[in-house]
């Protein structure tokens, strides 16, 4: 079965600093990988996704993620964090053989200090 | 704003009661998925409806049931509520069933508290 691990429950970064949020997945073949962001009181918004091809994926709001098959990882990065990036971030995995569901990690809460 | 609306936004129910949550999908979307997000956890897939038929189900008991209507809006029904059913319930609509094909747009969720 698929599973997703986000090792960091909370991360605090200074505004303007770089950010990396970690995501590891467990799945036998190449999965479909997603990053979502959830602001307080809001639903989930898709930041970016990886299906195949170039392993470095660009998303919205200046985010990018890199798929590393050898490490079963799909880490999210941003070169310079803005205060408005404070939110909870979820990594998710999907696969054709598991139908239509996405399996989410437990999330990482990002706090941005000025 | 995603165009996906859920009602009510908050709800308090007593253990053993039944609850119905509603989701209005984005215009043109024929697929609705429901997720349960317990406090401190990521969303868990409950089930999906595609063109009024159940189209995939997660590891939830039969007391979790759903409907999709001809206008593609959807309901989630939970019978015999338990304390552990307290969670944020998220609805996501998409153009077609496969999350790998099209983006799913999430509503703001319904916060259910069971006491």
């Amino acid at each position: 079965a698929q599973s997703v691990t986000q090792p960091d429950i909370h991360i605090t970064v200074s505004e303007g600093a770089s950010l990396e949020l970690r995501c590891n997945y467990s799945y036998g073949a190449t999965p479909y990988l997603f990053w979502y962001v959830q602001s307080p009181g809001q639903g989930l918004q898709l930041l970016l996704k990886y299906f195949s091809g170039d392993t470095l994926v660009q998303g919205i709001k200046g985010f990018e993620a890199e798929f590393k098959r050898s490490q079963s990882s799909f880490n999210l990065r941003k070169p310079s964090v803005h205060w408005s990036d404070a939110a909870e971030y979820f990594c998710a995995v999907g696969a054709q053989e598991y139908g239509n569901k996405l399996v989410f990690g437990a999330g990482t809460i990002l706090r941005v200090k000025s | 704003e995603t165009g996906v609306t859920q009602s009510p936004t908050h709800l308090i129910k007593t253990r053993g009661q039944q609850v119905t949550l509603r989701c209005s999908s984005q215009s043109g979307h024929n697929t609705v998925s429901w997720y349960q997000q317990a406090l401190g956890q990521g969303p868990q897939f409950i089930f999906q409806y595609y063109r009024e038929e159940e189209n995939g189900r997660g590891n939830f008991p039969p007391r979790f049931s759903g409907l999709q209507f001809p206008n593609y809006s959807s309901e989630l029904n939970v019978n015999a509520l338990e304390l552990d059913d307290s969670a944020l319930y998220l609805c996501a609509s998409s153009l077609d069933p496969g999350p790998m094909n099209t983006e799913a747009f999430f509503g703001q969720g319904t916060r259910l508290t069971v006491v």
Side-chain angles (χ1 to χ4, degrees), chain A residues 17-106:
Chain A
S18 63
L19 170 71
E20 183 169 30
L21 302 182
R22 296 183 290 164
C23 172
N24 292 97
Y25 66 89
S26 173
Y27 179 61
T30 300
Y32 301 101
L33 295 160
F34 305 79
W35 274 100
Y36 282 86
V37 62
Q38 185 177 37
S39 299
Q42 303 293 317
L44 300 172
Q45 182 184 21
L46 180 67
L47 287 175
L48 47 76
K49 59 189 177 187
Y50 172 79
F51 291 171
S52 64
D54 192 347
T55 57
L56 185 62
V57 180
Q58 301 297 322
I60 63 171
K61 304 186 180 186
F63 285 93
E64 66 178 27
E66 186 171 12
F67 170 59
K68 292 186 177 180
R69 184 191 303 275
S70 61
Q71 297 176 20
S72 297
S73 70
F74 188 57
N75 294 348
L76 182 71
R77 301 194 295 245
K78 187 168 184 179
S80 177
V81 169
H82 188 262
W83 64 266
S84 60
D85 293 324
E88 189 161 17
Y89 292 79
F90 293 94
C91 181
V93 62
Q96 291 286 10
E97 36 276 62
Y98 290 104
N100 312 310
K101 71 176 184 180
L102 292 175
V103 175
F104 286 84

Side-chain angles (χ1 to χ4, degrees), chain B residues 54-112:
Chain B
E54 188 177 288
N55 187 46
R57 188 178 181 92
N59 190 26
F60 280 81
R63 58 190 186 83
F64 285 78
S65 63
L67 279 175
Q68 187 177 34
F69 300 99
N71 66 355
Y72 302 131
S73 66
S74 178
E75 286 182 354
L76 164 65
N77 299 290
V78 186
N79 293 323
L81 283 166
E82 301 176 0
L83 297 179
D84 285 349
D85 296 332
S86 296
L88 181 69
Y89 288 84
L90 294 165
C91 161
S93 80
S94 54
L95 278 172
D96 67 44
M100 285 65 77
N101 299 327
T102 60
E103 180 177 348
F105 292 86
F106 283 81
Q108 293 183 320
T110 294
R111 173 73 62 188
L112 172 65

Side-chain angles (χ1 to χ4, degrees), chain B residues 37-63:
Chain B
Q37 186 179 11
L39 201 60
Q41 297 182 24
Q44 283 194 288
F45 178 75
I46 303 174
F47 44 56
Q48 181 185 85
Y49 278 83
Y50 170 58
R51 295 187 175 180
E52 303 179 58
E53 298 287 331
E54 188 177 288
N55 187 46
R57 188 178 181 92
N59 190 26
F60 280 81
R63 58 190 186 83

